[in-house]
Amino acid sequence: MTIRVIIVDDQAMVRAGFAALLSAQSDIDVVGEAADGRAGVEVSRSTHPNVVLMDVRMPEMDGLAAARAILSPPPGVIHVPKVLMLTTFDVDDYVYEALRAGASGFLLKDAPPADLIAAVRIVAAGEALLAPSVTRRLIADFATQRPAPRKDPSLRLKGLTPRETEVLELIARGLSNREIAEQLVLAEQTVKTHIGRVLAKLALRDRAQAVIFAYESGLVRPGSS
């Protein structure tokens, strides 16, 4: 399956560079571009991409507002793509809010080309881009500094089995499915099944929201090992 991508960034050279890199891949097709968040929402709804590469800071409408508009569309809009935020270290607080809104992760704009290509494929496959240790540290920091209002999340945690709780904790610590399988001595397919049940029981969109929930519920605490 070809992955349909749009690029939303106010820098023309960034859009051109990303478009050239991604279009060179046999399984990726760049189907649109936009220079601000408002136009990005319109392009997303007209082109139906699988993945939206979204810059954080832009004129007209910033990436956070655009991500919210794309991921929580009005009635009648059926297609909801994955959103991958593009950022630099100085705007990571915006990215954390975007993860809360349902974005599938974020990528630093100066990441190597191979990382960008891999990120698009990972997000298109339904995974969250949360593996790098820097990402785990940042999410932990924001969970501490910017806590969300809690509606007794412990009650939601009680709906999980002990094994599902273990899996959620390891997801929050940034482990991959393979690493979780090795640590818990399970088959990788069994881990995938547990993850699916965790997401369903907690009404979470993906692994990104699972990580945030684990921190905000107190299951995992920043700095713990």
Side-chain angles (χ1 to χ4, degrees):
M1 182 191 79
T2 300
I3 302 170
R4 295 168 58 84
V5 177
I6 68 170
I7 302 166
V8 186
D9 193 295
D10 61 337
Q11 298 181 44
M13 290 187 66
V14 170
R15 296 198 308 274
F18 284 0
L21 176 65
L22 294 173
S23 295
Q25 310 307 307
S26 60
D27 61 335
I28 299 176
D29 186 13
V30 178
V31 297
E33 299 179 17
D36 62 71
R38 193 176 308 281
V41 174
E42 295 174 357
V43 172
S44 175
R45 290 178 182 164
S46 65
T47 61
H48 296 174
N50 302 109
V51 177
V52 177
L53 289 179
M54 179 76 72
D55 189 20
V56 173
R57 286 186 174 172
M58 292 178 291
E60 297 295 328
M61 176 187 285
D62 66 22
L64 176 56
R68 284 176 175 152
I70 289 173
L71 294 167
S72 298
V77 177
I78 298 174
H79 180 77
V80 180
K82 304 293 185 180
V83 175
L84 177 62
M85 305 302 295
L86 301 170
T87 186
T88 53
F89 278 114
D90 64 330
V91 290
D92 286 324
D93 54 337
Y94 286 88
V95 175
Y96 179 66
E97 294 300 330
L99 290 176
R100 273 193 183 144
S104 294
F106 71 87
L107 186 71
L108 298 178
K109 294 179 77 171
D110 60 356
D115 286 1
L116 173 64
I117 297 167
V120 168
R121 290 171 176 157
I122 288 169
V123 170
E127 296 291 329
L129 194 68
L130 295 170
S133 60
V134 62
T135 307
R136 296 197 298 272
R137 290 199 303 272
L138 289 169
I139 291 177
D141 288 344
F142 292 128
T144 302
Q145 298 167 12
R146 305 169 67 87
R150 299 181 182 179
K151 297 182 178 178
D152 199 358
S154 62
L155 294 178
R156 293 171 68 186
L157 281 173
K158 287 179 180 177
L160 303 181
T161 66
R163 178 63 83 190
E164 289 165 354
T165 302
E166 284 183 297
V167 170
L168 175 58
E169 180 178 350
L170 294 176
I171 290 173
R173 297 191 188 286
L175 274 66
S176 66
N177 288 358
R178 179 180 57 77
E179 292 168 335
I180 294 172
E182 290 175 354
Q183 181 153 333
L184 298 181
V185 195
L186 297 172
E188 191 167 341
Q189 184 57 49
T190 302
V191 171
K192 291 180 180 178
T193 299
H194 283 311
I195 292 173
R197 289 173 179 165
V198 168
L199 297 180
K201 286 183 177 181
L202 297 177
L204 302 173
R205 187 192 306 268
D206 56 22
R207 292 172 77 111
Q209 292 195 335
V211 171
I212 291 171
F213 178 87
Y215 278 107
E216 293 183 341
S217 68
L219 177 64
V220 178
R221 298 189 181 281
S224 60
S225 59

